[in-house]
Amino acid sequence: TGLPKMIANKLSDIIVADMDNIELDNKFQSLWDKMSKENKFPQLIGSCISETLVDGDGAFKISVDTDLSLYPIIEFYGGERVSYVYKRGRLQEIIFHTSYTQDMADFCLHEHYGRGFIDYKLYNARGDEVELGTVEECISLKPHNTFAGDYIMGIPVMFFKSVKYKGRGESIFTSKNDDFDALDEVVSQWIDAIRKGRVYRYIPKSMVPKDPNTGETLSPNVFDNDYMEAGTSLAEDAKEIVTLSQADINYAAYVESYASFMDMCLQGVISPGTLGIDLKKTDNAESQREKEKATVISCNKIVDALTEVIPEVVSVCMMTYDNMCEKAIGEYEASVKFGEYGTPTFDKVVETVVKAKQGGVMSVKQSLKQMYGDTWTEEEIEEELKLIKDDQALGVQEPVINEFDDIDGKVPTDGDYQ
């Protein structure tokens, strides 16, 4: 059904679309913007999310190749191509695995990224270490490289920790494998029933189509002359007629099974509405919003991890650029913000805030912050608050009595008012 791919890509698209600009100190912002554009960083984040959801973990790899770019090169390796070395729960090395084929032989390059060093080792298919020059792509690599700074030019990524494998991540589909298999089986049976439930046309031998020119029987054709020849009945009241036959397919049972297994696959992962799946047309709007919480929870879990990983990637890139320029390693603090997926629309916020204000449980200033807090500055909110107070003050002033009566234009007297 392709459902796992749809889930991973949709979660990735939602989070990348909600990712705001990555902010650094003003004097470094333009430099990072150039690095981000050079490496197509937003698209790289999308690939990171999709692969990490499937593999369980992965790692960003920062490398330097002045022949390709004047800035550090950012790559992402999925969990199948990376391993880690821990010491008492502290990360010591990230090992990136890259496969090569040379003269019909398979090799694997292990790039050991540690604190202040990078080392390369090449292994053949039997696991024996060989010279780096054995593979053409590795000739220019030199073992035992060091660089200034106590940091690793790689950043691990994981959204869910694995209970079975310590120090590794867990795929979002780990507990859903059997459910996806069951869903595929239902779809396979359904399609097989449709395929075998075709309409069959039985034609008596005397009524078989013939060539009008030669009188020879026309061979069956799946496009415009599909039939099966029926034998002649010897019964006394037999009639030679064309008979159509088709199997009775229980579509309702297949649809019900499909919907049930689909719910099992999506439970705790993503809402059907997020994928555009309408399994229960009787659900009201509130029920749909409740189901959407599954997507919100999954997105929040991923965003929590990325808010720590992305600033670290930016910091490592900036420190690596300092090394490329042979400058002293600086300290960089980056920040990234994500929008809130599934937040209510503005009219819904206004409705809720107005009810709270009228109920006497929210002040005017707090109501303004709830409605405009993400887009307005504190000064703009204070200015709007002053305008509202001025309008309210004008609204409670005593009405001014007209100087002239509206009916006859005469100056009113005390007797007229009485």
Side-chain angles (χ1 to χ4, degrees):
T1 60
L3 188 61
K5 181 179 179 181
M6 290 172 56
I7 293 173
N9 289 341
K10 182 58 66 176
L11 290 174
S12 174
D13 293 342
I14 290 172
I15 294 170
V16 172
D18 279 350
M19 186 175 70
D20 296 333
N21 292 331
I22 300 170
E23 297 181 356
L24 270 168
D25 190 275
N26 290 334
K27 59 183 177 180
F28 304 122
Q29 186 67 48
S30 60
L31 177 59
W32 164 249
D33 291 340
K34 294 177 182 178
M35 291 185 190
S36 176
K37 184 178 180 180
E38 175 82 15
N39 290 279
K40 298 180 179 179
F41 193 65
Q43 293 89 328
L44 194 61
I45 291 294
S47 300
C48 161
I49 296 171
S50 299
E51 292 190 45
T52 304
L53 287 174
V54 176
D55 294 342
D57 58 48
F60 283 100
K61 171 186 164 188
I62 315 300
S63 56
V64 176
D65 191 339
T66 53
D67 294 334
L68 298 177
S69 175
L70 298 177
Y71 303 106
I73 298 174
I74 309 173
E75 300 172 274
F76 183 78
Y77 280 60
E80 294 182 349
R81 300 191 299 154
V82 67
S83 57
Y84 312 98
V85 177
Y86 287 93
K87 185 176 181 180
R88 295 185 179 181
R90 304 293 188 271
L91 181 65
Q92 301 298 313
E93 290 184 22
I94 302 176
I95 306 174
F96 298 96
H97 310 280
T98 306
S99 299
Y100 295 98
T101 300
Q102 179 82 26
D103 299 330
M104 303 298 290
D106 294 329
F107 299 90
C108 185
L109 175 66
H110 289 197
E111 301 175 79
H112 295 254
Y113 276 55
R115 295 189 177 279
F117 73 90
I118 299 175
D119 196 8
Y120 301 100
K121 295 182 180 180
L122 186 64
Y123 298 90
N124 58 21
R126 296 187 299 272
D128 300 329
E129 186 175 356
V130 297
E131 295 291 334
L132 293 173
T134 308
V135 177
E136 293 182 3
E137 289 87 345
C138 303
I139 292 178
S140 60
L141 300 179
K142 298 180 180 178
H144 311 299
N145 300 278
T146 59
F147 55 86
D150 184 26
Y151 68 96
I152 301 176
M153 291 175 59
I155 300 91
V157 183
M158 69 176 67
F159 304 139
F160 311 96
K161 291 185 178 181
S162 174
V163 178
K164 185 176 181 180
Y165 303 102
K166 190 174 181 180
R168 300 302 302 253
E170 184 176 75
S171 171
I172 196 172
F173 305 120
T174 298
S175 60
K176 298 291 183 180
N177 292 332
D178 294 338
D179 298 332
F180 287 121
D181 289 341
L183 179 65
D184 288 342
E185 181 65 24
V186 170
V187 175
S188 297
Q189 291 183 16
W190 193 354
I191 298 301
D192 191 49
I194 294 175
R195 186 181 297 111
K196 292 181 178 180
R198 297 176 182 273
V199 177
Y200 292 98
R201 183 171 55 159
Y202 297 92
I203 301 179
K205 186 174 183 180
S206 59
M207 302 175 67
V208 170
K210 293 181 173 56
D211 190 327
N213 297 321
T214 62
E216 295 181 356
T217 301
L218 295 176
S219 301
N221 188 297
V222 294
F223 295 103
D224 57 3
N225 191 29
D226 187 12
Y227 68 90
M228 299 180 68
E229 184 178 324
T232 303
S233 176
L234 301 178
E236 183 176 353
D237 57 347
K239 295 180 180 180
E240 293 188 346
I241 59 174
V242 177
T243 305
L244 298 179
S245 176
Q246 184 178 17
D248 185 16
I249 303 175
N250 191 353
Y251 287 96
Y254 283 115
V255 171
E256 186 176 350
S257 298
Y258 175 80
S260 300
F261 283 112
M262 178 70 73
D263 280 340
M264 293 173 62
C265 292
L266 302 182
Q267 282 175 1
V269 178
I270 195 171
S271 166
T274 306
L275 299 176
I277 300 173
D278 187 12
L279 295 178
K280 299 178 179 62
K281 299 182 183 297
T282 57
D283 285 356
N284 54 35
E286 186 173 353
S287 176
Q288 293 288 353
R289 285 195 297 271
E290 288 297 317
K291 289 184 177 180
E292 201 69 18
K293 289 182 179 179
T295 305
V296 174
I297 293 172
S298 296
C299 289
N300 288 343
K301 186 72 174 178
I302 299 171
V303 167
D304 289 342
L306 291 179
T307 50
E308 296 181 4
V309 169
I310 293 177
E312 191 172 352
V313 173
V314 176
S315 177
V316 170
C317 286
M318 297 298 293
M319 290 189 290
T320 303
Y321 185 76
D322 288 342
N323 275 324
M324 293 175 65
C325 299
E326 298 182 352
K327 299 190 304 182
I329 303 299
E331 294 183 1
Y332 304 93
E333 292 186 2
S335 63
V336 58
K337 293 183 179 180
F338 290 86
E340 294 291 337
Y341 173 75
T343 52
T345 56
F346 183 73
D347 56 346
K348 188 68 176 178
V349 173
V350 172
E351 180 183 352
T352 305
V353 170
V354 169
K355 286 182 180 180
K357 175 66 174 62
Q358 292 175 347
V361 294
M362 183 180 292
S363 65
V364 178
K365 185 174 182 179
Q366 184 62 31
S367 62
L368 289 174
K369 287 185 177 181
Q370 291 296 324
M371 290 192 294
Y372 308 108
D374 295 334
T375 55
W376 285 16
T377 63
E378 188 69 26
E379 291 76 11
E380 291 174 324
I381 292 177
E382 290 292 341
E383 183 179 355
E384 184 70 12
L385 181 61
K386 183 177 181 299
L387 292 174
I388 291 175
K389 289 182 178 179
D390 292 343
D391 291 343
Q392 292 175 348
L394 290 174
V396 299
Q397 285 185 354
E398 295 183 0
V400 179
I401 300 175
N402 291 333
E403 184 179 0
F404 295 98
D405 185 79
D406 294 336
I407 300 176
D408 53 11
K410 296 180 180 180
V411 179
T413 64
D414 295 339
D416 292 330
Y417 284 114
Q418 292 175 358

